[in-house]
Every structure is written in structure tokens, then in C-alpha cells.
Amino acid sequence: MTVPGPVAWSATSGRFAGPARVLLDLLLPPRCLRCGEMVAGSQALCAECWTGMRFIESPQCACCGVPMGILLPGVSLCLACERQRPDYDRARAVFIYDEHSRSLLLSFKHGDRTEAMPPFAAWMARVAAPLLTDCDVIAPVPLHRWRLARRRYNQSAMLAQGIGQLSGRPVAEDLLCRIRNTPSQGGRSPTGRRRNVAGAFRLNQRARAWSTIDAAMAPAGNLAGARVLLVDDVYTTGATVNECTRLLRRAGAARVDVVTLARVVRPVDQP
């Protein structure tokens, strides 16, 4: 897999070009999204921050996308997926969530650094290219309305919209809704995470965005045969995306793939 290049997309490169871009860079010099140092041209990260990122490359599990280090002949799945396949079909992520990448992601998620969306979405669209080929509609993992009111934006919905603009695939931002304001998943065991999100989502009966894919999908809740790409910011144990996947499959979705910006990789995940 080809990892995203350091000049993938800056916060301004998608909106300005030519003399206007030069003038804007003079007035507001582009800065590294992680450390704030000035960067050249369309770079999203400075050289030092870029070097510290652990981008996920092949070989990786054909199902969950975890990096595998060494891929033995005839082996395509990690040990976890060999034991029990996730509910979704495939998952991919851009980089490993660690001490270096945490501040980059949290500033976007909680610090109003929404200018990071364009490069993040470009990186995600690149690693999700095979998934987008088999995709009818893109849907973000939703926030509960109370949490959305506090944060003012859903970072997963922003990423989904960016991926949709780059890929030309339709985005159903309200396909799913969160009906329980679940406590944070942080610090919970895999079992605790599954219990925490069990029954937390439902299909939005008022949503009609996905009905434009095919006339047969017009009735609310009918996703018969649809191929959905779920978008979230971080993949930790997969509890949230698996819960969403089960809901989408009950509504008739034929395939559910997942793309996240980052994923947690535990020692048990790698051979």
C-alpha cells in the first residue's frame, strides 16, 4: 500500500490557487497541523512531525487492516480475525494511534482544528480506494445530539463529507443516529466497550439521502443490497463500528466496510 504523501492537501490548497494562494500564504503562512511550525507550500505536517507518524502499510490483515509485519504464504488474516471475523467486511486506517499521533487527532476532534479535515480526508480516501470502488454510500458514525451540541461538529461526519467530495460517492450524514448518550469508551475493556454501545444506534427513519442511490431503497429503513462505507475517527477494539454494522445489515446492507483516520494497535494484534 502507498502511504499518503507529505504534500497530500493543506487546509487552503483546495480553495485557492495561483496569485490568491500566494497572497494568502503571505498573510497566513501555512503551519504544521501538529506542532504549529511553518511549513512550505501545501505540506500538512513539518518534516519532523511527518517522520514521527506511523502510517499503516502492507502487509496488513485483509479483513481488519491491522499491520502484520510478516505475511506467511497462504495467510491473509490476523490471528484475531482467524478466530472470529468482525461483523464488517473490511477496515482500513491511515496511521497508528500512539503518543505521537494522539495530539494531532485530539486537536481536530476536541480542539476546533477543523482546518485539518481536507488533508485527513485525502489520506483516508487514498487508503480506502479499494473500499470506495465497492461503495454505494458513505455514512459517518454519529454523535449523540447532546454531545454534538457541546462539540458543535461531528468530526466523523466532516471526514465523511471530505471523502465523498474526493470520491464522488454520495454521503448520507444522517443514515444512523445515536439514541443513547453513552459514556466515553476510554479505559474500558473490549467487553466493556461492546456493552457500552450495545443498542446505542438506530437507523434514522427520517433520513432520505440514501434513497437517491436506487429507487428500491426509497422506503425508510430499506438498504437492500446497499454497500456502505462507515467513517469514524479512531478504531480501538471495533466495538462501535461492529454495532453500527449489525444495524446496517439488519436493514439489508449487502456489504459494510470501515475507514478510520487512526487505529489502536495492541501487541496482541501483531504476530
Short mmCIF file of all heavy atoms in Angstrom, two decimals, residues 8 25 32-33 38 43 75 84 137 140-141 147 167 171 213:
data_model
loop_
_atom_site.label_atom_id
_atom_site.label_comp_id
_atom_site.label_asym_id
_atom_site.label_seq_id
_atom_site.Cartn_x
_atom_site.Cartn_y
_atom_site.Cartn_z
N ALA A 8 -0.05 15.97 0.66
CA ALA A 8 -1.33 15.48 0.17
C ALA A 8 -2.34 16.60 -0.06
O ALA A 8 -2.95 16.68 -1.10
CB ALA A 8 -1.90 14.46 1.15
N ASP A 25 -0.84 32.81 1.61
CA ASP A 25 0.29 32.23 2.34
C ASP A 25 1.16 33.31 2.96
O ASP A 25 1.78 33.10 4.01
CB ASP A 25 1.13 31.35 1.42
CG ASP A 25 0.46 30.01 1.13
OD1 ASP A 25 -0.56 29.72 1.79
OD2 ASP A 25 0.94 29.26 0.26
N CYS A 32 2.27 23.60 10.38
CA CYS A 32 2.13 22.17 10.65
C CYS A 32 0.90 21.94 11.54
O CYS A 32 0.71 22.63 12.54
CB CYS A 32 3.39 21.65 11.34
SG CYS A 32 3.28 19.93 11.90
N LEU A 33 0.09 20.99 11.17
CA LEU A 33 -1.13 20.71 11.92
C LEU A 33 -0.86 20.16 13.31
O LEU A 33 -1.70 20.25 14.19
CB LEU A 33 -2.00 19.72 11.15
CG LEU A 33 -2.61 20.22 9.84
CD1 LEU A 33 -3.28 19.08 9.10
CD2 LEU A 33 -3.60 21.34 10.10
N MET A 38 5.90 26.66 10.87
CA MET A 38 5.58 26.99 9.48
C MET A 38 6.08 25.90 8.54
O MET A 38 7.16 25.35 8.75
CB MET A 38 6.18 28.35 9.10
CG MET A 38 5.44 29.52 9.73
SD MET A 38 5.91 31.13 9.02
CE MET A 38 7.61 31.23 9.57
N GLN A 43 2.25 21.42 2.36
CA GLN A 43 2.52 20.39 3.36
C GLN A 43 1.60 20.55 4.56
O GLN A 43 1.44 21.65 5.09
CB GLN A 43 3.98 20.45 3.80
CG GLN A 43 4.97 20.05 2.72
CD GLN A 43 6.40 20.10 3.22
OE1 GLN A 43 6.66 20.50 4.34
NE2 GLN A 43 7.33 19.69 2.38
N VAL A 75 -1.46 -16.94 4.09
CA VAL A 75 -2.09 -16.32 5.25
C VAL A 75 -2.48 -14.89 4.89
O VAL A 75 -1.64 -14.10 4.45
CB VAL A 75 -1.15 -16.31 6.47
CG1 VAL A 75 -1.80 -15.56 7.62
CG2 VAL A 75 -0.80 -17.73 6.88
N GLN A 84 -12.22 -15.12 15.00
CA GLN A 84 -13.60 -14.62 14.85
C GLN A 84 -13.60 -13.39 13.95
O GLN A 84 -13.04 -12.36 14.31
CB GLN A 84 -14.21 -14.27 16.21
CG GLN A 84 -15.65 -13.81 16.10
CD GLN A 84 -16.28 -13.55 17.46
OE1 GLN A 84 -15.65 -13.78 18.49
NE2 GLN A 84 -17.52 -13.07 17.47
N VAL A 137 -22.72 4.19 -0.76
CA VAL A 137 -23.00 5.35 0.08
C VAL A 137 -22.01 5.37 1.24
O VAL A 137 -21.61 4.34 1.76
CB VAL A 137 -24.46 5.33 0.59
CG1 VAL A 137 -24.71 4.12 1.48
CG2 VAL A 137 -24.81 6.62 1.32
N PRO A 140 -21.18 8.39 8.22
CA PRO A 140 -20.35 8.55 9.42
C PRO A 140 -20.97 7.90 10.64
O PRO A 140 -22.19 7.75 10.73
CB PRO A 140 -20.29 10.07 9.59
CG PRO A 140 -21.62 10.54 9.08
CD PRO A 140 -21.97 9.61 7.94
N VAL A 141 -20.12 7.54 11.60
CA VAL A 141 -20.61 7.14 12.91
C VAL A 141 -21.14 8.40 13.60
O VAL A 141 -20.44 9.41 13.69
CB VAL A 141 -19.49 6.49 13.74
CG1 VAL A 141 -19.94 6.28 15.19
CG2 VAL A 141 -19.07 5.17 13.11
N ARG A 147 -23.99 15.53 22.84
CA ARG A 147 -22.55 15.67 22.63
C ARG A 147 -22.26 16.54 21.41
O ARG A 147 -21.32 17.33 21.41
CB ARG A 147 -21.90 14.29 22.47
CG ARG A 147 -20.38 14.32 22.44
CD ARG A 147 -19.80 12.94 22.57
NE ARG A 147 -20.17 12.33 23.84
CZ ARG A 147 -19.81 11.10 24.20
NH1 ARG A 147 -19.09 10.35 23.37
NH2 ARG A 147 -20.17 10.60 25.37
N SER A 167 -14.22 11.45 -3.73
CA SER A 167 -14.52 10.20 -4.43
C SER A 167 -15.74 10.29 -5.34
O SER A 167 -15.91 9.43 -6.22
CB SER A 167 -14.75 9.08 -3.42
OG SER A 167 -15.91 9.33 -2.64
N VAL A 171 -22.98 10.88 0.28
CA VAL A 171 -22.81 10.81 1.73
C VAL A 171 -24.18 10.95 2.38
O VAL A 171 -24.90 11.92 2.12
CB VAL A 171 -21.87 11.93 2.23
CG1 VAL A 171 -21.74 11.87 3.76
CG2 VAL A 171 -20.50 11.81 1.59
N ILE A 213 -29.70 6.59 -4.18
CA ILE A 213 -28.81 5.57 -4.76
C ILE A 213 -29.58 4.69 -5.72
O ILE A 213 -29.13 4.36 -6.80
CB ILE A 213 -28.20 4.70 -3.65
CG1 ILE A 213 -27.49 5.57 -2.63
CG2 ILE A 213 -27.24 3.67 -4.22
CD1 ILE A 213 -27.14 4.82 -1.37
#
